[in-house]
Amino acid sequence: MDAVIREFDFFSANHQDKKDAPSKVDAGSKELLGRNNVRQRCKIDEQPVIQLSTLRVKVEKIKEENRNLVGMLDRATKKYKDLERHLRLAMEQPAAAAHINNYLPKEERNEMDGLSQPSRQSIEPVPSTSMLDINEPSHSDDKTNERVASPEKNMMEAAISKEMDHHDHMTNIVGRKRMSRDDEGVGGVDYTSKGNQGAGAKNSEDNMPDVSSQKARVSIRARSDAPLMIDGCQWRKYGQKMAKGNPCPRAYYRCTMATGCPVRKQVQRCAEDMSILTTTYEGNHNHPLPPAATFMASTTSAAVSMLLSGSTTSNINDPSNSGLFPLMSKYPYTIATLSTSAPHPTITLDLTHTPNEHNMQLIQRPSFVPQQLPGHHHHHPLYMSSMPPTLFPEEKGKHQSMVDMVTAAIATDHNFTAALAAAASSIMRATQSNSHGGHHTTSSSSKMPAGLGPPTHHKDRSSLSTVISNGRK
DNA sequence: CGATTTTGACCTGCGC
DNA sequence: GCGCAGGTCAAAATCG
């Protein structure tokens, strides 16, 4: 595959454009056959300076990447065929339409329910010519109408695009830069983050806005004096940067538990409180994680999924949701903040608050409920709590001891913190592909240097706070 | 010797 | 278009 060749694009066109770019390896240059048979200059020394181990790593990465691509293609093809089959059934017997609905992942089902329900009620035979003709131009600006007109088409597109989105996301992280360089003008799928965002933007036009398809992040703030935080995964540091406004450097890690795993995380210490370590996870593991963290993963995944879905009705105190929130049953008070700013909606689980802070926030919930911040425009009406709607002083007293205990436990329980961190690293998989049958990932152990800094700086245009709490014992 | 970390260069998006 | 900041790459250095 040309991906192999692409790896030798050590000196891409962009490099060439840099007239004054001093190169460490500017002795000699050779032309190598680049991606898509485009000849690209590749500067190398007369004697290659690349270490053998580096090459091996590259080769493994490429192999893994290709395996992922092939797998993705297989899955997409299979889904397409399945859908096509179900579609034929549906056309033959309308009752089978329900089957199609069942076939779709939960998220898509929900989406479809809202959109196709009306159409199903007034099910009109859709002209067969338009059903699968994705090239048919839309004659209406009203996308909803368009969907209503051909729900099956949208279902199929949704399923396919979902698969593609998943791959986009995976590839996005691993090969974002490379792809954006090499795929420019080549055509085909745009794997760049911009492309992804673009897809997201398109999505919002053509479909309902789908935050889950965005490149979400999960950030965990926890007090940790330990130089390393064990979260179950193996991480390899690939970069470190000084972030603006923070004396502590931000470190960048990628998961090395499996070759080609696209999960990355950032670690930074808080400038205001050096004892607070912020770990931000991004991406989906492409490998199973130790079962130990599955428990946490299911809870955090559910929480994040709920947050991202914008659910205003979900209540983790609802017994029917108890299965989704085992963690919250155990650790009742966690402050979660959702930043909906593009390009990365970020959920921050803050485990650093003291019991009193918790209580104050809970008591003053009316002002704690998501509120518009100055200059912030994206108001996301999320509010989730398992606590009673109000918590009055007497109730506060009733809960006080438990809150203190639990919060203290959270603050001091490194296992919890670690497990939560591990779980978070897998969240995106759950939120983005919980319908793919994707297994939960749970990270386990990692080496992580302390002394890394403050909360990840996001150029938030909006944010909101959400209490994820649970009054149950 | 393989794996990991360090670190300067580079790329890209965004705001002005 | 330019500069800034965040993020990534990759060769070299270091570690075990």
Side-chain angles (χ1 to χ4, degrees):
Chain A
M1 294 229 185
D2 51 8
V4 177
I5 301 165
R6 178 169 18 113
E7 280 301 305
F8 290 93
D9 178 21
F10 296 127
F11 212 81
S12 65
N14 278 338
H15 286 78
Q16 284 188 66
D17 291 342
K18 295 276 179 185
K19 295 178 281 284
D20 53 350
S23 172
K24 293 177 192 170
V25 284
D26 55 359
S29 70
K30 276 188 182 177
E31 280 198 337
L32 291 187
L33 194 59
R35 187 175 164 77
N36 298 313
N37 290 336
V38 175
R39 286 208 165 263
Q40 296 167 332
R41 292 184 72 82
C42 176
K43 288 205 170 188
I44 57 175
D45 282 338
E46 292 86 346
Q47 298 300 322
V49 294
I50 301 108
Q51 291 179 358
L52 195 59
S53 60
T54 309
L55 276 176
R56 286 204 187 104
V57 169
K58 284 176 187 299
V59 169
E60 282 308 312
K61 274 172 61 181
I62 293 161
K63 283 180 183 173
E64 183 62 30
E65 196 174 316
N66 288 339
R67 276 195 291 273
N68 288 339
L69 283 168
V70 171
M72 185 276 297
L73 188 61
D74 287 346
R75 289 196 303 275
T77 306
K78 185 176 180 300
K79 272 195 172 183
Y80 183 87
K81 284 178 179 172
D82 283 353
L83 268 175
E84 202 172 25
R85 185 160 45 84
H86 287 301
L87 194 54
R88 280 201 210 95
L89 273 174
M91 289 173 69
E92 288 166 9
Q93 39 182 299
H99 194 60
I100 293 180
N101 205 29
N102 287 338
Y103 170 82
L104 287 174
K106 189 181 162 191
E107 285 177 6
E108 289 155 20
R109 249 183 283 157
N110 293 339
E111 189 181 337
M112 288 303 161
D113 282 345
L115 291 159
S116 58
Q117 208 106 359
S119 69
R120 239 182 267 138
Q121 287 169 357
S122 58
I123 249 182
E124 294 173 11
V126 180
S128 59
T129 52
S130 69
M131 299 230 343
L132 293 173
D133 183 8
I134 57 176
N135 293 321
E136 182 186 50
S138 167
H139 300 295
S140 168
D141 288 333
D142 187 343
K143 305 296 178 185
T144 305
N145 288 344
E146 183 183 318
R147 295 177 68 105
V148 168
S150 59
E152 292 84 357
K153 164 189 164 183
N154 286 292
M155 277 190 262
M156 183 167 290
E157 287 175 4
I160 293 168
S161 68
K162 189 84 181 177
E163 187 69 30
M164 295 306 293
D165 282 350
H166 177 65
H167 175 254
D168 278 2
H169 180 76
M170 303 283 283
T171 314
N172 214 0
I173 297 170
V174 171
R176 181 164 62 90
K177 202 173 203 171
R178 189 169 53 230
M179 289 292 193
S180 64
R181 285 181 202 157
D182 298 345
D183 284 347
E184 246 176 14
V186 173
V189 185
D190 182 2
Y191 294 123
T192 66
S193 66
K194 187 179 180 180
N196 208 25
Q197 292 162 34
K202 188 176 186 300
N203 204 30
S204 63
E205 283 178 21
D206 294 347
N207 307 308
M208 297 293 287
D210 182 11
V211 265
S212 65
S213 69
Q214 296 177 36
K215 199 165 138 187
R217 288 176 171 176
V218 175
S219 184
I220 293 177
R221 281 164 52 85
R223 293 188 187 281
S224 172
D225 295 326
L228 304 175
M229 185 153 71
I230 296 170
D231 62 6
C233 274
Q234 285 181 306
W235 303 94
R236 181 179 168 187
K237 189 177 184 179
Y238 67 89
Q240 179 168 306
K241 263 285 204 192
M242 292 302 297
K244 193 185 176 188
N246 193 329
C248 306
R250 178 184 301 160
Y252 301 89
Y253 297 84
R254 65 164 56 99
C255 178
T256 58
M257 281 193 82
T259 51
C261 179
V263 174
R264 301 193 174 187
K265 76 173 180 182
Q266 301 174 10
V267 181
Q268 193 169 33
R269 284 212 173 272
C270 181
E272 298 81 37
D273 187 345
M274 304 288 272
S275 68
I276 296 175
L277 197 66
T278 302
T279 308
T280 304
Y281 295 88
E282 179 182 314
N284 308 316
H285 288 284
N286 63 355
H287 54 87
L289 285 166
T294 304
F295 175 75
M296 303 297 176
S298 60
T299 291
T300 47
S301 296
V304 171
S305 184
M306 204 169 272
L307 284 165
L308 288 179
S309 72
S311 168
T312 54
T313 56
S314 300
N315 187 326
I316 60 179
N317 198 33
D318 185 340
S320 64
N321 284 336
S322 62
L324 293 174
F325 297 99
L327 181 61
M328 295 311 168
S329 305
K330 198 173 179 183
Y331 301 98
Y333 297 94
T334 301
I335 300 291
T337 305
L338 173 62
S339 163
T340 58
S341 63
H344 308 299
T346 303
I347 288 176
T348 303
L349 300 178
D350 194 341
L351 311 179
T352 64
H353 289 272
T354 66
N356 286 339
E357 284 174 310
H358 274 283
N359 290 335
M360 288 306 290
Q361 285 171 320
L362 290 168
I363 291 165
Q364 298 167 358
R365 177 169 301 165
S367 62
F368 179 60
V369 169
Q371 46 191 293
Q372 188 118 20
L373 301 177
H376 295 131
H377 309 299
H378 301 151
H379 210 121
H380 216 113
L382 291 185
Y383 178 64
M384 181 171 75
S385 172
S386 66
M387 287 299 291
T390 54
L391 189 58
F392 296 106
E394 55 270 28
E395 292 172 291
K396 176 191 171 187
K398 192 173 162 185
H399 289 279
Q400 182 67 61
S401 59
M402 182 193 67
V403 171
D404 287 350
M405 275 171 48
V406 167
T407 313
I410 290 174
T412 57
D413 185 346
H414 291 287
N415 287 335
F416 165 70
T417 303
L420 186 55
S425 73
S426 73
I427 280 174
M428 263 60 70
R429 176 182 211 111
T431 56
Q432 295 187 9
S433 59
N434 59 10
S435 49
H436 289 25
H439 45 279
H440 270 303
T441 52
T442 3
S443 21
S444 10
S445 80
S446 82
K447 290 190 284 183
M448 184 192 302
L452 294 171
T456 307
H457 174 70
H458 302 294
K459 294 173 183 173
D460 291 351
R461 284 185 287 268
S462 77
S463 69
L464 61 88
S465 297
T466 303
V467 174
I468 303 175
S469 59
N470 191 331
R472 291 171 297 177
K473 289 211 295 186

